[in-house]
Amino acid sequence: MALDRVAAIVVAAGSGTRLRASAPKALVRVGGKPLLLWAVEALTVGGVTELVVAAAAERIADFTQVLASQPVPARVVAGGASRGDSVRNALAALNATAAPPDVVLVHDAARPLVPPEVVARVIAAVQDGDVAVVPVIPVTDTVRQLAASGSTVVDRSILRAVQTPQGFRRDVLTAAYAAPAFANSTAVTDDATLVERLGYAVRLVEGSPSAMKVTTPHDLVMVSAMLEV
Ligand code: CTP
Ligand code: MG
């Protein structure tokens, strides 16, 4: 299988409660561009050739307009109540097309500065035969695990923090989201976990501190600063 067509699902339907901005988080501007466009640019430079963006239903027109300025085919669909619901809706839209792509990346719009090299690395790993690929970075903080009484330090050398974009064979991701036992799973915060529950191995590749997620106002300051260096 050639696996040469690569789509990305960009989840951008969250409310951005913790950022406390007046606009949806994905439309908040940094360095003169909405977070969404930074993310899309990194994906396309990294090798993605089509996009499905999940947005809040009442914002579909705004998102469509923002995406008009970028070069690859992009559709905007209504997201859902949880991140997983948003991925599921976007994946359904992708699967409904006449010739769906072989490889699907799932990326948070809230990670605007993911380096294109990370995107390319994820794509290459899927094309080389891994069905689920996750970028990770080492944990730099010392981590403590809470116990019933007190706490203990965890060996951080065996921990990795998970980022996006995560890459999948489209058929495998579709099967994971279709599995009835997981259909309403709210405890799942990433897509690879669903695929893993089907019994597939998850391959880790090197992520980047630049792929940090914008969650709080402080994160936005960090991202602005990163654009200046
Ligand atoms: N997301 C989504 N649909 C949802 C919830 C989240 O598409 N129902 C997306 C967000 O838009 C974001 C990514 O999933 O790009 C990661 O979520 P998070 O950082 O939590 O963003 P928000 O849910 O928007 O922020 P908050 O939790 O502070 O409200
Ligand atoms: Mg959220």
Side-chain angles (χ1 to χ4, degrees), residues 56-126:
E58 68 277 12
R59 290 293 188 155
I60 288 179
D62 298 337
F63 276 66
T64 305
Q65 200 180 355
V66 165
L67 289 163
S69 65
Q70 59 77 45
V72 306
R75 277 188 302 158
V76 185
V77 302
S82 71
R83 183 187 184 280
D85 294 326
S86 295
V87 174
R88 185 183 286 106
N89 290 359
L91 190 57
L94 206 57
N95 283 328
T97 55
D102 312 300
V103 179
V104 180
L105 269 50
V106 182
H107 185 57
D108 295 325
R111 297 183 188 271
L113 300 188
V114 58
E117 306 81 68
V118 172
V119 177
R121 201 175 288 145
V122 170
I123 293 171
V126 181

Side-chain angles (χ1 to χ4, degrees), residues 9-89:
I9 289 170
V10 181
V11 284
S15 51
T17 313
R18 288 168 289 180
L19 190 60
R20 303 191 300 272
S22 51
K25 181 157 77 177
L27 299 186
V28 168
R29 297 173 85 87
V30 61
K33 248 189 324 208
L35 296 185
L36 176 67
L37 279 190
W38 286 106
V40 161
E41 191 173 292
L43 290 166
T44 55
V45 173
V48 166
T49 52
E50 56 193 290
L51 300 161
V52 180
V53 176
E58 68 277 12
R59 290 293 188 155
I60 288 179
D62 298 337
F63 276 66
T64 305
Q65 200 180 355
V66 165
L67 289 163
S69 65
Q70 59 77 45
V72 306
R75 277 188 302 158
V76 185
V77 302
S82 71
R83 183 187 184 280
D85 294 326
S86 295
V87 174
R88 185 183 286 106
N89 290 359

Side-chain angles (χ1 to χ4, degrees), residues 83-170:
R83 183 187 184 280
D85 294 326
S86 295
V87 174
R88 185 183 286 106
N89 290 359
L91 190 57
L94 206 57
N95 283 328
T97 55
D102 312 300
V103 179
V104 180
L105 269 50
V106 182
H107 185 57
D108 295 325
R111 297 183 188 271
L113 300 188
V114 58
E117 306 81 68
V118 172
V119 177
R121 201 175 288 145
V122 170
I123 293 171
V126 181
Q127 289 174 334
D128 286 349
D130 291 299
V131 301
V133 179
V134 172
V136 296
I137 56 171
V139 174
T140 53
D141 290 321
T142 296
V143 176
R144 281 189 163 266
Q145 180 172 350
L146 306 184
S149 101
S151 63
T152 52
V153 171
V154 178
D155 176 8
R156 73 177 174 217
S157 70
I158 60 165
L159 298 178
R160 295 293 180 273
V162 167
Q163 303 182 320
T164 75
Q166 300 187 357
F168 305 92
R169 278 254 308 275
R170 181 185 51 83

Side-chain angles (χ1 to χ4, degrees), residues 154 188 210 218:
V154 178
V188 171
S210 301
H218 173 261

